Amino acid sequence: MSANESAETRLYPPPAEFAAKAAISGMAAYKALCDEADKDYEGFWARLAREHVVWKKPFTQVLDSSNSPFFKWFADGQLNVSYNCLERQIEAGLGDKTAIIFEADNGDVTRVSYRQLLAKVCQLANGLKKLGIKKGDRVIIYISMGVEGIAAMQACARIGAIHSVVFGGFSAQSIRDRINDAGAVAVITADEQCRGGKNIPLKPAVDEGIGLGGCESIKNVIVFKRTGGPCNMVAGRDVWWHDVIAGQPETCEPEWVDAEHPLFLLYTSGSTGKPKGVQHGTGGYLLHAILTMKWTFDLKPEDIFWCTADIGWVTGHTYIAYGPLACGGTEIVFEGIPTYPDAGRFWKMIQDHKVNTFYTAPTAIRSLIKAADTNPAVAPTKYNLSSLRLLGSVGEPINPAAWTWYHQNVGGGRCPIVDTFWQTETGGHMITPMPGATPLIPGSCTLPFPGIMAAIVDETGTDVPNGNGGILVVKKPWPAMIRTIWNDPDRFKKSYYPADFQGKYYLAGDGAIRDKDSGYFTITGRIDDVLNVSGHRMGTMEVESALVAHPKVAEAAVVGRPDEMTGEAIVAFVVLRGSRPTGEEAKKLVAELQAWVGKEIGPIAKPKDIRFGENLPKTRSGKIMRRLLRSLAKGENVTQDISTLENPAILEQLKVSV
């Protein structure tokens, strides 16, 4: 590569040794799968579903589009996800193989075999049944990373209960809203969680959430004793995990469910304040979890696989709780944070456990770059990372500089990087390299997964030529896709199959561009009012609603701005009920409002920058000019026409960060 050539155009072909052993080896093999899907779309998915999933009752129908966009896949087939993850492996002779290597926050390591995990799951499943929890009931799981969280998800899947995991950093209000929307009958939680050397309470948030009202559906709260910290137990409602499993047999016949039976709900931020309960089915979701493990991650029987996500996010569902286990893999589950006891924690764990595949988010990579620059002792190059053969990136687009650092310093220049684009709604990878086939370009998620018909269109749904930016859509339904929004089918249609595209295309909500020459996709960011902070979706409306709920706030508008560390940072423009504060008073109020949003939604939603104005920039019809606010947030000079602005003087006020 010549010195004047930009890094973004450099092609990194798959290493020959990797390609030789890969599940999809070379571009011809990738193209053959895409051609098969093109020629006979249903036949392609049916073949894969028969080859990779164990069915109790085989399906005869593949895709049912009769009530589109409420598509059904393999609808008359019956299966159980937990059986496919556990017994299936034991029957294949993997009973003593390590399923999970759990490393606690304090460094203690526990290994759990497939046989042990099955016993754990069955005992809990039997205990849940004894409490009266049955097929179709919704169960909220609010617990930290550990074997118990995965066992809880698997136990729900085993009895046909629908789980909804809530990230352990979310607030009491968030728990209340999810219990209320899902009509959940039980919550599975722990007394505390351990993160960064601290014990952080979990159970009090559940109590507070239920106390906010609207949670009358809850009959039981099951509490795992993680630390033995103080824990209020409500008589008749709360029960300890160890009491639930006491005396329960270690076998439990799976509940065989239809392929379309909901496996889980996962709430995600929309552009309106109310979180959306994304509903996933069973058969199609499991198929995609398996295929992406085998093809994107090229999982080998001897691999140690580590996805650093939390089970509170979809990445932790597909690539911790289900995908690796359904493929008979061994995976790392980590309780702590990447910077405790120091920022070398990830690298030390890769070295200690001889991890082969490492899958993390660009925000984590960027913060570890900074840590290594500040303290060279925790740089990845100080550790033995020779076991790595594949790296992955997830949650947000990775910038070329972070990609190159990751490739050189963590992967030693020898490991392909799978930069995976997908969403809570898609169930698994949509656009991603195949590590043994796709030449890589830093910053690009490259080409669609075989069978995924991704395209870029304009506002009318017309394809745009390569080299032009537009709106990312998927033209055909796929097995792992969202089925509906829980209790809100109209919102599902409006959000994902809008009338602009005659209700035919799935709208991802992201802008994208395809390279003129290679046809590779690059994601350019959200097209709606949803921010992506450290890979977590945050509705602007959600943050605005939380701010306005504060007694001192009259009005608020929230936008995103690019941020080196988190991808996007939240900037809030606030109008107070009293006069506009300055100096120390303003600083104090910023801290107060940040803490308030943290309590209302969770720490992830705290605005990085809060600015005060006597008013917000509005058109004469009263519409907030968010485009203007985005420019102000970035520190740009406002060049747009402001003749329709009611009061142009407030722009000067809003330029100023406190």
Side-chain angles (χ1 to χ4, degrees):
M1 181 173 90
S2 62
N4 60 359
E5 207 177 314
S6 82
E8 285 85 335
T9 58
R10 181 173 167 190
L11 269 181
Y12 292 79
E17 194 185 347
F18 193 107
K21 296 176 190 160
I24 297 177
S25 179
M27 280 308 277
Y30 165 77
K31 286 195 173 100
L33 286 164
C34 297
D35 291 347
E36 183 190 349
D38 270 338
K39 284 192 189 86
D40 176 7
Y41 192 68
E42 287 189 30
F44 169 80
W45 288 113
R47 170 180 77 80
L48 293 169
R50 288 188 181 108
E51 281 175 17
H52 294 274
V53 175
V54 175
W55 298 86
K56 180 74 174 171
K57 177 178 166 230
F59 58 88
T60 62
Q61 348 165 210
V62 185
L63 172 61
D64 175 357
S65 308
S66 58
N67 182 25
S68 81
F70 300 96
F71 299 103
K72 292 180 178 171
W73 284 90
F74 322 121
D76 62 346
Q78 283 189 336
L79 73 161
N80 181 281
V81 165
S82 179
Y83 174 89
N84 269 274
C85 291
L86 301 172
E87 282 96 334
R88 176 187 188 175
Q89 314 309 343
I90 295 167
E91 287 162 12
L94 303 179
D96 295 325
K97 181 177 179 175
T98 301
I100 295 173
I101 302 170
F102 169 59
E103 180 160 322
D105 185 61
N106 67 1
D108 289 350
V109 175
T110 312
R111 287 178 168 75
V112 181
S113 70
Y114 275 92
R115 193 170 282 108
Q116 287 165 325
L117 186 57
L118 175 65
K120 205 174 185 68
V121 167
C122 286
Q123 278 195 309
L124 183 60
N126 289 323
L128 297 179
K129 283 201 292 197
K130 197 175 171 186
L131 290 172
I133 299 168
K134 56 189 189 305
K135 177 181 166 185
D137 283 346
R138 277 80 60 205
V139 176
I140 299 284
I141 300 174
Y142 182 67
I143 200 165
S144 62
M145 289 296 292
V147 178
E148 283 68 29
I150 297 160
M153 293 164 81
Q154 289 274 350
C156 289
R158 196 162 195 84
I159 63 174
I162 305 165
H163 61 69
S164 183
V165 186
V166 179
F167 171 58
F170 275 167
S171 64
Q173 184 68 49
S174 303
I175 300 168
R176 182 260 161 216
D177 291 348
R178 286 154 175 76
I179 291 174
N180 174 271
D181 191 73
V185 299
V187 178
I188 300 178
T189 187
D191 50 1
E192 295 183 321
Q193 57 178 337
C194 306
R195 283 177 72 81
K198 297 186 189 79
N199 293 353
I200 302 160
L202 283 172
K203 172 72 163 46
V206 174
D207 294 341
E208 190 188 330
I210 294 173
L212 291 168
C215 300
E216 288 72 25
S217 55
I218 291 287
K219 296 188 183 66
N220 291 109
V221 175
I222 298 151
V223 187
F224 175 68
K225 193 178 273 193
R226 170 69 185 93
T227 61
C231 187
N232 176 43
M233 298 292 281
V234 176
R237 183 195 77 183
D238 298 356
V239 51
W240 288 106
W241 175 301
H242 55 258
D243 290 334
V244 170
I245 64 170
Q248 292 296 342
E250 293 183 354
T251 54
C252 171
E253 177 66 15
E255 182 74 43
W256 301 104
V257 299
D258 294 344
E260 281 297 318
H261 177 73
L263 176 65
F264 63 87
L265 308 175
L266 198 48
Y267 284 83
T268 180
S269 289
S271 50
T272 65
K274 185 176 180 266
K276 301 182 282 198
V278 171
Q279 179 181 319
H280 274 288
T282 296
Y285 170 80
L286 180 68
L287 170 64
H288 206 67
I290 293 172
L291 287 178
T292 48
M293 282 299 308
K294 290 181 176 178
W295 293 356
T296 311
F297 294 124
D298 194 52
L299 190 74
K300 303 288 186 235
E302 63 280 6
D303 274 353
I304 308 288
F305 176 84
W306 184 16
C307 162
T308 67
D310 189 282
I311 53 170
W313 312 114
V314 73
T315 306
H317 284 53
T318 309
Y319 301 111
I320 297 177
Y322 294 118
L325 299 173
C327 294
T330 298
E331 59 175 336
I332 305 278
V333 173
F334 174 47
E335 182 178 39
I337 56 173
T339 50
Y340 176 80
D342 60 41
R345 181 71 182 267
F346 274 4
W347 320 131
K348 185 174 180 315
M349 284 178 63
I350 293 172
Q351 171 179 282
D352 291 355
H353 300 296
K354 298 190 171 38
V355 171
N356 308 109
T357 302
F358 180 63
Y359 190 39
T360 196
T363 299
I365 296 165
R366 287 191 290 267
S367 70
L368 295 168
I369 295 175
K370 195 172 168 186
D373 287 346
T374 317
N375 175 12
V378 297
T381 45
K382 295 282 191 272
Y383 296 81
N384 178 359
L385 307 182
S386 60
S387 58
L388 286 169
R389 62 181 205 93
L390 182 62
L391 301 172
S393 169
V394 61
E396 54 189 308
I398 181 167
N399 52 306
W403 192 103
T404 309
W405 182 90
Y406 192 32
H407 185 260
Q408 286 169 353
N409 293 275
V410 181
R414 66 180 187 282
C415 301
I417 299 177
V418 286
D419 174 4
T420 58
F421 167 80
W422 61 296
Q423 301 170 307
T424 304
E425 293 88 345
T426 69
H429 304 153
M430 300 298 279
I431 307 175
T432 173
M434 299 289 109
T438 319
L440 305 174
I441 292 179
S444 167
C445 49
T446 69
L447 294 169
F449 191 83
I452 301 297
M453 305 302 177
I456 299 174
V457 299
D458 63 16
E459 282 74 6
T460 63
T462 311
D463 284 85
V464 300
N466 287 1
N468 293 12
I471 299 163
L472 181 64
V473 295
V474 185
K475 290 190 168 181
K476 283 187 177 178
W478 66 101
M481 66 188 294
I482 174 176
R483 294 307 194 253
T484 185
I485 291 172
W486 182 257
N487 275 338
D488 204 344
D490 287 347
R491 191 176 177 194
F492 165 75
K493 273 177 90 162
K494 278 194 198 92
S495 301
Y496 301 110
Y497 282 89
D500 303 358
F501 307 146
Q502 291 82 50
K504 285 187 181 153
Y505 295 165
Y506 168 86
L507 174 69
D510 284 284
I513 186 164
R514 292 191 80 163
D515 186 82
K516 263 201 326 280
D517 304 320
S518 62
Y520 280 14
F521 285 77
T522 297
I523 307 297
T524 52
R526 301 289 301 170
I527 55 173
D528 55 14
D529 289 328
V530 176
L531 310 173
N532 189 335
V533 182
S534 302
H536 306 317
R537 273 167 51 177
M538 242 346 65
T540 52
M541 183 87 170
E542 220 176 332
V543 185
E544 285 168 13
S545 305
L547 282 163
V548 172
H550 188 284
K552 291 179 189 168
V553 175
E555 203 174 8
V558 167
V559 298
R561 71 155 184 241
D563 184 273
E564 263 189 14
M565 197 56 71
T566 56
E568 227 174 349
I570 299 175
V571 183
F573 297 90
V574 171
V575 179
L576 297 173
R577 293 185 188 277
S579 58
R580 177 172 174 257
T582 52
E584 280 310 307
E585 188 196 354
K587 282 188 182 144
K588 230 166 100 182
L589 201 51
V590 164
E592 185 180 328
L593 291 175
Q594 286 171 325
W596 171 269
V597 172
K599 189 165 178 347
E600 287 285 299
I601 305 173
I604 197 102
K606 285 181 186 176
K608 191 162 185 181
D609 184 358
I610 297 181
R611 304 179 188 183
F612 299 106
E614 281 158 19
N615 208 325
L616 293 174
K618 291 176 184 172
T619 60
R620 291 193 176 91
S621 62
K623 201 167 174 245
I624 296 174
M625 296 177 75
R626 289 173 190 274
R627 230 166 18 129
L628 260 181
L629 293 177
R630 279 195 265 277
S631 293
L632 288 171
K634 288 178 192 165
E636 296 169 351
N637 285 327
V638 173
T639 53
Q640 296 134 308
D641 177 22
I642 53 172
S643 57
T644 58
L645 254 188
E646 217 180 350
N647 173 9
I650 57 168
L651 295 183
E652 286 306 313
Q653 295 178 358
L654 297 172
K655 273 185 185 170
V656 184
S657 287
V658 174

